[in-house]
Amino acid sequence: MEKEKIAVSVARFVRSGQLAKAVPELERLVNLEPADARFRLELAVLYSKVGQTPKAVDQLVQLARRYEKDGFGLKALGCWLQVGRLAPDN
């Protein structure tokens, strides 16, 4: 139930363009559901949009490693490509 409320709050903030307010809410959601890759990916996107590139890269690296471990090579490759775009020196 709490997850649904947080998800609605995040969606409301994103729709209204208040991305900085959506980030802490989505962080709470990721902490409640650390195994949900969709939340982690959305968090990485929000981090990159609000200028927190190192945090976005960290989320994407964690997600890519998880995809690799679970046997989803193409998804992992997509995450690594995004890491390369956000941090080309990394």
Side-chain angles (χ1 to χ4, degrees):
M1 188 70 176
E2 183 181 354
K3 292 183 291 187
E4 294 169 6
K5 289 180 182 179
I6 296 171
V8 168
S9 175
V10 169
R12 184 173 18 101
F13 285 136
V14 170
R15 270 194 313 270
S16 65
Q18 298 175 330
L19 301 180
K21 289 184 178 180
V23 169
E25 292 294 311
L26 196 52
E27 287 173 339
R28 285 181 46 212
L29 198 53
V30 168
N31 288 333
L32 286 174
E33 287 290 327
D36 195 329
R38 295 171 299 154
F39 296 146
R40 195 171 292 277
L41 185 59
E42 181 66 26
L43 182 59
V45 170
L46 282 179
Y47 278 148
S48 67
K49 286 183 179 181
V50 297
Q52 296 180 357
T53 305
K55 287 185 176 183
V57 168
D58 181 53
Q59 291 296 319
L60 288 168
V61 167
Q62 289 179 33
L63 195 55
R65 289 183 179 149
R66 178 167 163 227
Y67 282 146
E68 288 171 352
K69 183 180 131 199
D70 292 343
F72 296 107
L74 289 176
K75 289 183 178 185
L77 178 63
C79 290
W80 288 119
L81 288 173
Q82 286 182 341
V83 167
R85 287 186 198 115
L86 289 173
D89 296 334
N90 190 350

